[in-house]
Amino acid sequence: MKKVIAFAGSNSKNSINKQLATYAASLVEGAELTVLDLNDFELPLYGIDYEQEHGIPKNAQKFLDYIKSSDGIVLSLAEHNGAYATVFKNIFDWMSRIDGKLWSEKPMLLMATSPGARGGATVLEVAKGRFPYMGGNIVATFSLPSFGQNFSEGKITNEELNNALLGGVKQFETSL
């Protein structure tokens, strides 16, 4: 059985991106799913001085170990001012200090959602441009606009959008 990890690039307790990542990953057939929460991997803000004085925090290695031991990654990014949420950028930076190719060429279903009509499209584009340099093997992407209108009771309610996600999930499954 393939091991899939799912997480959101957010530390919100009620993260809409975690809801989307969990839903999408639940659609992957024949996989053992682990849902991670960035709140369980507390880290100091990355800085070269901190790293030189204290080394790499254990939680950065622990999170990277989840990535390396998985067969695939389902990630939904929160968008803050057109970029990654600080909590995600921080863990991303720490992991890159351990391994510059931190995504380890694992197949990735990369997503974003937001309350707005663009559905986190800007952060999705940023990640699509950046992750391949960091060992990212993005096999499918999906953006869910207007989360409050299109997601309810743990699933996408808009049939057209749900079908688009199902297509991405199939691509992801095939790549595992």
Side-chain angles (χ1 to χ4, degrees):
M1 185 175 290
K2 299 291 184 173
K3 292 181 179 180
V4 171
I5 60 168
F7 64 99
S10 170
N11 60 349
S12 169
K13 292 177 186 168
N14 300 308
S15 170
I16 60 177
N17 281 281
K18 185 175 180 184
Q19 291 175 57
L20 178 59
T22 301
Y23 171 62
S26 77
L27 300 172
V28 179
E29 293 184 24
E32 176 188 324
L33 174 61
T34 301
V35 178
L36 302 173
D37 187 321
L38 295 185
N39 290 304
D40 296 331
F41 300 88
E42 192 171 313
L43 291 165
L45 283 177
Y46 177 76
I48 192 67
D49 294 336
Y50 184 95
E51 181 184 352
Q52 290 173 346
E53 290 173 31
H54 305 283
I56 306 264
K58 287 185 174 117
N59 276 340
Q61 183 66 58
K62 186 176 172 185
F63 200 90
L64 186 61
D65 289 346
Y66 274 105
I67 290 170
K68 293 194 174 290
S69 68
S70 75
D71 295 303
I73 302 162
V74 176
L75 168 57
S76 189
L77 293 167
E79 182 175 292
H80 290 191
N81 298 315
Y84 311 120
T86 302
V87 67
F88 174 77
K89 179 67 165 79
N90 194 48
I91 198 166
F92 181 70
D93 287 347
W94 275 115
M95 289 188 300
S96 75
R97 298 299 292 170
I98 301 167
D99 182 350
K101 301 286 186 182
L102 63 107
W103 299 120
S104 302
E105 299 301 326
K106 305 290 181 171
M108 180 184 290
L109 171 55
L110 181 62
M111 304 179 297
T113 189
S114 76
R118 289 188 33 81
T122 303
V123 73
L124 199 55
E125 288 303 315
V126 170
K128 284 167 47 179
R130 184 75 223 132
F131 285 8
Y133 294 104
M134 312 297 284
N137 176 17
I138 302 165
V139 297
T141 61
F142 177 74
S143 171
L144 179 63
S146 305
F147 182 87
Q149 286 77 49
N150 292 313
F151 196 95
S152 180
E153 297 179 21
K155 64 182 191 249
I156 295 175
T157 56
N158 177 299
E159 187 176 349
E160 185 178 329
L161 290 169
N162 197 56
N163 287 338
L165 175 61
L166 289 171
V169 169
K170 275 291 173 219
Q171 288 177 280
F172 178 69
E173 268 178 12
T174 302
S175 70
L176 291 174

